[in-house]
Amino acid sequence: MKILQPAHNKPATQVENWKQIKKEAQELRQFIKAGPFEGDYQSAYAISHAQVSEAPLHFFVINEELEKGQLKKWFGSWCVFNFKILETDDPVSWLEACMSFPHRKPKNTDRFYKIKAEYRIPFLWWSRKVTRRLKELPAFICAHEDDHAHGRNIYNK
């Protein structure tokens, strides 16, 4: 598995069920853990399936090892799919980078400090719907990966 370059900007297709993405999600989980990545960034907070597939599905995998494992706790899982942002607050400027552009410098991007998001996470053999209020880093990650799922990135918004 590798990050596609150049980024294709194709919108992701909604996931029908956990079984549909389980194998690719597990491969992406191993990919993000294995690192290091090409370019200036050695690790990623999360990677969207849209960044590694020509036929993107609407999910992303978080790096369970960063932030002392807090990312998994904040999201409720290492894999998040069919997410949507339901509510936002006022945007703040956030300096962020993107693994799809490993040699570009981070860019100031307007992101919401707090969001309310709805998504699905794996649960045993199926999935469950989660609605959470996220703030700070988890909110920024969700918005960044939401951009990828909609065929956008921080450099072409």
Side-chain angles (χ1 to χ4, degrees):
M1 185 171 282
K2 66 179 189 165
I3 296 175
L4 300 174
Q5 293 180 4
H8 55 60
N9 300 321
K10 294 178 186 174
T13 302
Q14 291 286 303
V15 174
E16 292 178 26
N17 56 53
W18 169 237
K19 185 178 178 183
Q20 177 189 10
I21 63 168
K22 183 177 179 180
K23 183 179 178 189
E24 286 185 272
Q26 289 171 332
E27 288 175 16
L28 190 52
R29 182 185 200 184
Q30 291 307 312
F31 175 70
I32 200 171
K33 280 183 180 181
F37 298 96
E38 176 187 346
D40 300 327
Y41 310 105
Q42 297 302 304
S43 63
Y45 284 111
I47 295 181
S48 170
H49 187 253
Q51 292 175 270
V52 299
S53 176
E54 289 287 346
L57 295 170
H58 198 275
F59 74 92
F60 67 88
V61 171
I62 62 154
N63 188 335
E64 299 167 86
E65 297 174 3
L66 292 180
E67 303 299 316
K68 300 179 183 164
Q70 285 296 309
L71 289 178
K72 182 177 175 182
K73 181 180 175 187
W74 288 325
F75 283 106
S77 177
W78 57 271
C79 181
V80 174
F81 60 100
N82 293 348
F83 50 91
K84 58 184 168 186
I85 297 172
L86 304 174
E87 294 175 12
T88 62
D89 66 350
D90 294 327
V92 296
S93 184
W94 172 258
L95 187 63
E96 65 183 279
C98 181
M99 300 306 287
S100 292
F101 302 91
H103 301 289
R104 291 188 77 172
K105 297 296 177 203
K107 180 182 177 188
N108 277 317
T109 306
D110 284 343
R111 293 286 184 212
F112 299 106
Y113 184 77
K114 294 178 186 175
I115 64 170
K116 181 178 178 183
E118 179 181 278
Y119 51 88
R120 299 196 75 77
I121 59 173
F123 184 73
L124 300 174
W125 299 276
W126 56 92
S127 68
R128 66 182 171 129
K129 186 162 76 170
V130 174
T131 303
R132 289 231 166 128
R133 293 193 181 277
L134 303 168
K135 67 179 184 175
E136 299 172 344
L137 182 59
F140 300 147
I141 289 170
C142 194
H144 182 103
E145 302 311 330
D146 188 58
D147 278 349
H148 285 302
H150 288 94
R152 301 183 300 256
N153 63 64
I154 61 174
Y155 298 106
N156 76 356
K157 284 182 102 170

